[in-house]
Amino acid sequence: MSGPPVSARGGKVRSACDLCRHRKIRCDGVKPACETCHLAGVPCTFTTTPSESRKNTREQLSEANSKIRALESLIAARDNLQRLGHSAPGQALHRTGISLSLGDSYLLDTHHIETALATFRQHIAYCGPGVPYFSLRTYFYSAVSERTGSDLDLDFFLHQVAEFYKLHHPIEELRAIPQKWPTPQLIQQCIDHFSRSGLYSVFPIVDTAILRELLNSGIMDNPTDPTHTANRACLIAFTALVTELHRLEPTFVNADPDAYLQAALGLLPKLLMETPDMRTLETVVIIMVYILPIGQAQAAGMMLAIAARILYSLGGHRMRQLDESQDHLPHRKHLRALFWLCYTLDKEMSIRYCVAPLINDADCDLELPENYVMSSSDHQFLQKPLSSDELLYPSDLRLAMIKSKIYRLLYHDHGYTEDEARRLQHIRELDQELSELKSSFPIGFEPDSLATETEPNYGFHDLSLRGVNLHLEYYLCLGKIHEASSACGTPSPNSWFPLPSSVEIWSHAARSTLLYVSRAREYLNWHTFW
């Protein structure tokens, strides 16, 4: 419903609604909706813009102190990196935390505080605030200050975290992770565990029957044997992932998954020079699945690009091509399962980092797998025995397709150039599609029913990590949809003012995410699902 024109400071009355003010056209002031809003089919609203007041001396001094602290934290970070460089030659963190050079080592030491901070900085850089002194971070700080009345300084915060950690824990040097080949016995144990636990349902990454044949052929016994490199690399990478996911299992307690993956990465250059096949695709996908959660977004993106290229060359994006090719018939279902795993990760990275997806929907057959579980059942949310005969994936494939639409309609360059009325129409349609998907969730497992302070603790006890993923990705999509009611997610001089309703929904999604994580984390361990 429209509100009355707002009287600005100094007695000047605002006579234009939000939409007319943004378009810089005359508003006729007709109630309940002016002609422009009526034709656009949007609510006619008047949003009060707080007048800017001159900052007093105390506020100016506070801002100056914040800038000084930021500079001090950057200087301390630089000194820290120089210290690390002297103590461990060839190792240096990029100041933004986005890249790391470890000489012959490809992976970060995931147990080091510097690695944790670098990973956090990377996510911050990609997901909104940008890098230090980037214009987007300035807008982000301004938005936080305007809406909360408090100042935020990420660099100073991270500096405090590092100092607090160093005060209470002994600091070890960043270690260079060695390359190590797993034993054939360990590989066999991983194959058996993967098959017995039904992990293919969540991560359809390998054909275990083929892996058994390769292992029994003795290719791991003679490293100099000129066999197809992907065969060895796949066995090594697979062992790394299984032992990482189940490192608390007594069988894998002495395993070194990072060292195994390091060995697989060492084979990657030779592997990519050979003719790609299913083992090549499986190896690249396993590496991507391993390194993405530990903050290696750029490297994971490169692995995903390679995997997408191989998928296209093998015909995994088109069902018709597979049906017509007798060569692909034996592993058609497995290839399509790999396609959907890559598709979900591609759309996740696209919407989270606001970059164009590598897999174009128009090039693909998006028919869901025959054995995909998408019926309204608590099997999607609870910890239950897995079966390799059905596919669950870490999240709902339909959410991945919604993410694809969100980027294409709202965040692609073409979406930005459309007029506000059209963008608002897309927002309403996507919101409706997401609501329909949420309504298909079984009773008692809707996201909003758990994201409350009053939900009993037993509501979280039996949740699987996949169930948590479904809820958190729902809120991610909801926030991304309504965040687009502004020209960009973070307010800037070039953005039009977001609709109050969208701001409310976006804030609800953010609050619900934090509340949900705070409630669920006590009842979930990283190994509770896979």
Side-chain angles (χ1 to χ4, degrees):
M1 184 175 178
S2 301
V6 181
S7 176
R9 190 174 183 181
K12 184 178 179 180
V13 178
R14 262 197 55 199
S15 58
C17 67
D18 294 336
L19 183 57
C20 292
R21 181 165 63 93
H22 171 68
R23 292 184 173 180
K24 298 181 180 179
I25 60 177
R26 187 177 184 83
C27 181
D28 58 21
V30 174
K31 305 301 178 189
C34 69
E35 183 180 7
T36 303
C37 292
H38 177 72
L39 293 175
V42 299
C44 188
T45 59
F46 288 81
T47 303
T48 304
T49 304
S51 57
E52 295 185 0
S53 57
R54 178 176 296 177
K55 296 178 180 178
N56 57 36
T57 304
R58 179 175 297 178
E59 291 172 334
Q60 293 176 1
L61 182 60
S62 176
E63 286 187 357
N65 287 334
S66 297
K67 293 180 179 178
I68 292 172
R69 287 196 300 269
L71 289 171
E72 288 176 343
S73 66
L74 289 177
I75 293 172
R78 182 197 62 187
D79 294 341
N80 227 6
L81 299 183
Q82 290 177 347
R83 177 182 59 79
L84 288 170
H86 290 309
S87 59
Q91 304 181 13
L93 284 171
H94 190 279
R95 68 181 183 86
T96 63
I98 295 178
S99 62
L100 180 72
S101 174
L102 288 171
D104 294 332
S105 184
Y106 303 103
L107 291 180
L108 303 170
D109 178 3
T110 54
H111 301 285
H112 199 278
I113 180 63
E114 295 292 349
T115 305
L117 293 177
T119 302
F120 182 79
R121 290 190 187 99
Q122 179 195 42
H123 286 299
I124 289 295
Y126 274 118
C127 300
V131 298
Y133 300 109
F134 187 54
S135 58
L136 198 59
R137 181 168 290 194
T138 302
Y139 296 141
F140 176 75
Y141 286 162
S142 299
V144 171
S145 178
E146 178 183 347
R147 297 180 184 179
T148 67
S150 302
D151 293 329
L152 175 65
D153 190 329
L154 287 172
D155 301 298
F156 181 61
F157 166 75
L158 292 177
H159 175 65
Q160 287 182 310
V161 169
E163 292 302 314
F164 179 84
Y165 184 88
K166 294 170 186 176
L167 184 64
H168 293 81
H169 302 278
I171 300 298
E172 299 179 356
E173 294 182 358
L174 277 169
R175 68 185 182 98
I177 302 171
Q179 294 188 25
K180 184 187 299 182
W181 282 34
T183 63
Q185 293 76 18
L186 180 60
I187 297 174
Q188 183 65 59
Q189 290 173 333
C190 289
I191 294 174
D192 294 340
H193 181 87
F194 190 83
S195 302
R196 184 174 60 251
S197 61
L199 268 175
Y200 186 90
S201 177
V202 184
F203 295 115
I205 50 175
V206 294
D207 184 333
T208 53
I210 300 296
L211 291 194
R212 281 196 174 94
E213 292 179 7
L214 290 175
L215 185 62
N216 293 335
S217 69
I219 66 170
M220 298 299 295
D221 299 326
N222 185 8
T224 61
D225 183 16
T227 186
H228 192 47
T229 306
N231 293 338
R232 288 198 186 96
C234 187
L235 288 169
I236 296 171
F238 171 75
T239 305
L241 182 61
V242 173
T243 54
E244 171 66 16
L245 292 176
H246 294 275
R247 58 175 175 246
L248 296 185
E249 293 280 340
T251 306
F252 306 132
V253 68
N254 294 319
D256 193 348
D258 284 350
Y260 305 149
L261 194 74
Q262 195 81 263
L265 290 170
L267 295 173
L268 197 59
K270 185 178 179 182
L271 175 147
L272 295 178
M273 294 301 293
E274 298 175 346
T275 302
D277 61 7
M278 284 292 293
R279 303 293 82 73
T280 311
L281 176 60
E282 290 172 342
T283 303
V284 173
V285 170
I286 293 170
I287 292 174
M288 173 181 60
V289 171
Y290 191 106
I291 65 177
L292 183 58
I294 61 175
Q296 296 292 294
Q298 284 186 328
M302 288 188 286
M303 292 297 103
L304 180 59
I306 297 170
R309 185 69 178 178
I310 298 174
L311 272 169
Y312 276 57
S313 67
L314 297 179
H317 63 305
R318 294 284 192 188
M319 285 291 294
R320 185 172 59 255
Q321 288 181 229
L322 293 178
D323 293 337
E324 294 173 353
S325 173
Q326 294 299 319
D327 295 336
H328 290 149
L329 205 55
H331 55 249
R332 178 174 65 89
K333 285 187 177 181
H334 178 49
L335 184 55
R336 284 294 289 177
L338 283 168
F339 163 78
W340 277 108
L341 180 59
C342 293
Y343 182 91
T344 57
L345 293 174
D346 180 42
K347 304 311 175 184
E348 171 69 16
M349 296 180 72
S350 173
I351 191 175
R352 190 171 292 278
Y353 303 135
C354 205
V355 295
L358 296 164
I359 300 175
N360 187 355
D361 288 11
D363 297 333
C364 306
D365 292 329
L366 298 181
E367 179 182 345
L368 296 177
E370 298 174 1
N371 54 338
Y372 175 60
V373 178
M374 65 177 186
S375 59
S376 179
S377 167
D378 58 7
H379 185 57
Q380 303 177 56
F381 296 89
L382 297 181
Q383 299 181 49
K384 292 189 174 182
L386 300 173
S387 171
S388 297
D389 296 329
E390 60 185 17
L391 290 175
L392 278 170
Y393 291 100
S395 183
D396 198 312
L397 299 183
R398 294 168 294 178
L399 272 174
M401 289 190 279
I402 291 177
K403 292 175 187 176
S404 181
K405 292 180 181 178
I406 292 173
Y407 179 82
R408 175 168 51 84
L409 296 176
L410 301 177
Y411 291 93
H412 188 269
D413 289 343
H414 175 70
Y416 275 125
T417 59
E418 292 189 319
D419 59 77
E420 286 81 355
R422 184 65 173 165
R423 285 174 61 83
L424 290 173
Q425 180 183 351
H426 291 324
I427 289 173
R428 287 196 296 269
E429 292 173 349
L430 288 167
D431 183 89
Q432 179 62 30
E433 186 174 352
L434 188 62
S435 297
E436 291 173 357
L437 177 58
K438 183 180 72 168
S439 66
S440 71
F441 292 170
I443 297 176
F445 290 96
E446 301 90 347
D448 295 337
S449 66
L450 293 175
T452 66
E453 295 179 353
T454 58
E455 171 66 17
N457 290 342
Y458 61 76
F460 299 92
H461 283 166
D462 298 325
L463 276 179
S464 67
L465 193 53
R466 184 180 192 271
V468 174
N469 280 346
L470 287 174
H471 289 165
L472 294 181
E473 290 191 28
Y474 164 79
Y475 286 125
L476 171 65
C477 291
L478 186 65
K480 282 293 185 179
I481 289 171
H482 290 278
E483 181 181 312
S485 68
S486 174
C488 66
T490 307
S492 71
N494 299 322
S495 66
W496 63 289
F497 203 84
L499 294 177
S501 58
S502 283
V503 171
E504 183 178 349
I505 295 174
W506 182 86
S507 299
H508 165 71
R511 287 194 303 269
S512 298
T513 298
L514 293 174
L515 184 59
Y516 190 94
V517 170
S518 68
R519 293 297 312 279
R521 66 179 179 177
E522 298 179 14
Y523 310 101
L524 287 170
N525 294 314
W526 58 268
H527 61 284
T528 53
F529 183 75
W530 39 70

